[in-house]
Each structure stands twice: as C-alpha cells, then as structure tokens.
C-alpha cells in the first residue's frame, strides 16, 4: 500500500512543529530518581522491564546492567557483553544480543538469573543481531539480523539452537530494527527501512506489509513499536516522520502523529493508556494517549541520547536512559 505523499508531507511538517507546540495535558511527569549506571556515558541501546521479576535490563555502550525496579538500585553489571543491543528474558535466563558486524562478535549471550553468571555464548547464523523477542509458551527466541534483512529463530534455554530464519522485505537495505512480538496473535511485527510488516510467528510468512515511504536516515526509518489490544493498533515510531498508528490486522494507517525529533524505542503503560516514544536528539520522550491516539506532552530530560527507555506497569514509573549523564532518569506520571 502506497502512503499518499500529500499526507506524508503533513506528517513531516507536524514533526518539525512539535518542538514549539504546547499541549494542554492533564498529565505531568515528576523526576523522582536518577540511577547512576556504571561505565554508561554514551550511546546505550535498549532498556526493557521484565515482568517476571521486576528487573530492568539496560544495554550500555559496552556491557549491560540489571536494575531492581523495587529499589532502583543496580544489582549486577556485566562487563563482557561487547556492543550489546537488545535483550529478552524468561523465568530462568536473560538473553542479550552482542553485535559487531561480519567477521566479529555476533552472539546471543545467555545469563542465568540464578546467580547472574554468563552460562553460554551462541554465535548467530546472521550477523549484527539487534532486536530480540521471546515467546515463553513456544520457547522460541526471535532475533533480527541487521546485515541480512531476516529474523533468526532459536530455541530458548541454556543452549539456544538455531531453527530457521524468516526473510524480510526489502531483501537489501539498512536492515530490521526492534519490532514487537504479539504472542496472543502469533504475529511478529517488524520494521525494516521504510517498511512495516507482520509475520506469522510460526511459519515466518509475511501476512501484510506497507511501505510508509518515509526518509531512511543513517539511523534507519521505521523503529520501535507497541501493540494495543484495546484498539487493535500497532504504534510505529520513525526516525524522520513522527509516529504512525496502524491497524494490527491490515497495517492500514489509522493516524499519524508528530514527534519532536527522531524516535527510537517505543513502550507503553496499558493501565494508564499512555504510549512513550524516546528520542535521542530531542533529549526526552513523547507521551501519547493510546485511546484517543493524540499527543499528550513532551517530557524533557535535558540530557542527550535519551533514545531508549521503558515503563514499570506496576508503579507506572518511566525509566529514560540519559546517555550523556550515564544514568537512568525515573519519572512518575501525575494528574
């Protein structure tokens, strides 16, 4: 489906104007904590909340940490995860992608939750492993391969085994980023350059795809996303054209929303119905209303490289990676 250029131009304009837009919002975000992270100043890559134990895992410029959301303290620091990207976890293990391109480190690093020790390093079939998703019901681990435009599929456990790969469109280009596995629908939603596509998580068949015809920058095009079952919508952030809200079954564009700058990671709070889009250049994160599909506010951290973050759905605290400060900034939403 080709996205109309006239509408796309409007999206770009809205994105640029958001920096000077003030939203009348009932929500306010109070900075309640700054968690220092070891050796963290610079470009970290991913932050994710683990609902099984309340841990927050953070990819640092080199290495990774586990933060206990109950205390907001760092409980472990792994120094030997080179160029970490994404991560996923189940009840027993944390899985981390370590990516340095063809001929270098391309691994899934397996960490035991029992004692925080690295118990395995599995060399991936593809190179530059990036986004990672886990389905605990099927014991499948999905890993996006930036250099190959496909998704590797592995078994979970102490010794992940390669099972198959799912090709993506386009077959050449900048490569996929961090999508979203929706286990309830058995669908893996994947961004790749200017495309968004939905894959059957069992067969890898591309069910639907859409080229949003957005500008692909050196930071890629389509980026992080969330799925809202209440509205059956997939929210897809982009580096150059704000936020797209798509119908989860057809990938038809439902709404286009502005952003202050390029979006990287996208997370959300289902109970509050708030979607968070983290920006690096914008020094903060956008907040959207998932129900009305409208902008709520922009929260400034005042710190560069705030392009990743997560939310604790129990406390509703938002954790924004403040790269230039080498810390996690914690915000509490208030009305």
């Amino acid at each position: 489906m080709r996205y109309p250029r006239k509408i796309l131009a409007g999206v770009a304009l809205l994105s640029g104007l958001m920096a000077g837009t003030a939203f009348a919002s009932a929500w306010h975000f109070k900075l309640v904590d700054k968690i220092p992270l070891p050796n963290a100043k610079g470009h970290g890559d991913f932050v994710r909340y683990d609902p099984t134990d309340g841990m927050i895992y953070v990819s640092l410029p080199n290495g990774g940490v586990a933060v206990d959301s109950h205390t907001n303290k760092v409980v472990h620091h792994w120094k030997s995860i080179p160029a970490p990207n994404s991560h996923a976890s189940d009840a027993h293990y944390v899985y981390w992608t370590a990516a340095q391109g063809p001929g270098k480190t391309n691994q899934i690093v397996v960490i035991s939750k029992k004692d925080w020790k690295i118990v395995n390093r599995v060399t991936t079939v593809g190179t530059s492993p990036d986004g990672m998703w886990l389905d605990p019901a099927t014991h499948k681990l999905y890993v996006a391969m930036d250099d190959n435009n496909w998704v590797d599929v592995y078994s979970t456990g102490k010794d992940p085994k390669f099972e198959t790969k799912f090709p993506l469109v386009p077959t050449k280009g900048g490569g996929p980023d961090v999508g979203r596995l929706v286990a309830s629908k058995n669908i893996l939603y994947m961004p790749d350059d200017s495309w968004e596509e939905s894959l059957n998580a069992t067969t890898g068949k591309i069910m639907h795809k859409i080229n949003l015809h957005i500008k692909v920058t050196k930071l890629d095009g389509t980026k992080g996303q969330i799925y809202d079952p209440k509205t059956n919508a997939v929210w897809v952030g982009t580096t150059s054209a704000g936020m797209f809200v798509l119908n989860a079954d057809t990938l038809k564009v439902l709404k286009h929303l502005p952003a202050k700058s390029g979006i990287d990671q996208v997370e959300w709070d289902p109970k509050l119905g708030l979607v968070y889009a983290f920006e690096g250049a914008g020094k903060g994160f956008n907040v959207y209303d998932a129900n009305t599909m409208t902008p709520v506010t922009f929260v400034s951290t005042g710190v560069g490289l705030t392009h990743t973050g997560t939310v604790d759905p129990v406390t509703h605290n938002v954790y924004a990676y403040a790269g230039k400060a080498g810390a996690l900034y914690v915000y509490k939403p208030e009305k």
Side-chain angles (χ1 to χ4, degrees), residues 62-324:
N62 264 301
V65 298
V67 175
D68 188 337
S69 66
H70 303 97
T71 63
N72 283 348
K73 302 294 184 183
V74 174
V75 297
H76 201 81
H77 176 206
W78 296 276
K79 300 178 182 178
S80 56
I81 305 176
N85 280 329
S86 183
H87 35 80
S89 54
D90 55 25
H92 304 289
Y93 298 100
V94 183
Y95 308 86
W96 225 298
T97 55
Q100 291 186 328
K104 297 184 180 180
T105 303
N106 294 282
Q107 298 177 337
I108 299 170
V109 179
V110 185
I111 299 165
S112 172
K113 287 186 173 182
K114 187 177 181 179
D115 54 15
W116 298 123
K117 291 183 178 179
I118 294 175
V119 295
N120 204 351
R121 296 177 185 269
V122 178
T123 300
T124 56
V125 172
T127 57
S128 292
D130 193 352
M132 177 185 283
W133 311 269
L134 186 149
D135 186 342
T138 61
H139 307 288
K140 303 288 186 186
L141 194 63
Y142 303 87
V143 186
M145 296 297 168
D146 280 352
D147 295 333
N148 312 107
N149 288 78
W150 71 52
V151 176
D152 275 8
V153 183
Y154 297 83
S155 60
T156 58
K158 182 178 180 180
D159 187 22
K161 302 293 186 184
F162 175 77
E163 296 185 355
T164 189
K165 63 184 179 183
F166 297 161
L168 301 172
V169 293
T171 56
K172 296 181 180 179
D177 206 84
V178 180
R180 181 69 56 165
L181 174 67
V182 181
S184 61
K185 298 172 78 71
N186 196 40
I187 294 177
L188 178 60
Y189 294 93
M190 286 299 303
D192 197 334
D193 284 2
S194 62
W195 291 80
E196 174 70 14
E197 50 211 278
S198 59
L199 285 72
N200 181 296
T202 302
T203 66
K205 179 182 178 181
I206 296 177
M207 303 164 63
H208 295 90
K209 60 182 183 291
I210 179 173
N211 188 345
L212 296 172
H213 295 283
I214 61 174
K215 180 182 178 181
V216 179
T217 72
K218 63 180 181 179
L219 299 174
D220 297 324
T222 48
K223 300 289 284 187
Q225 46 206 264
I226 62 101
Y227 168 69
D228 179 2
K230 183 177 180 180
T231 59
N232 194 37
V234 177
W235 292 62
V236 182
T238 74
T239 58
S240 60
M243 178 77 76
F244 286 87
V245 187
L246 311 177
N247 179 283
D249 294 330
T250 64
L251 299 187
K252 178 182 178 181
V253 177
L254 301 175
K255 204 76 177 282
H256 53 87
L257 301 169
K260 187 175 182 181
S261 66
I263 296 169
D264 193 352
Q265 189 171 349
V266 179
E267 297 294 337
W268 81 307
D269 188 324
K271 188 172 182 179
L272 297 185
L274 297 176
V275 178
Y276 301 103
F278 298 87
E279 302 184 355
K283 299 183 179 181
F285 54 93
N286 300 283
V287 186
Y288 304 94
D289 187 311
N291 298 313
T292 61
M293 300 181 186
T294 55
V296 172
T297 190
F298 179 82
V299 180
S300 174
T301 62
V303 179
L305 295 180
T306 313
H307 65 109
T308 61
T310 194
V311 60
D312 179 343
V314 179
T315 64
H316 308 295
N317 286 343
V318 180
Y319 292 79
Y321 177 82
K324 291 290 187 179

Side-chain angles (χ1 to χ4, degrees), residues 39-45 59-61 304-307 321-327:
N39 302 323
K41 286 190 177 181
H43 185 282
D45 201 66
S59 295
L60 306 178
L305 295 180
T306 313
H307 65 109
Y321 177 82
K324 291 290 187 179

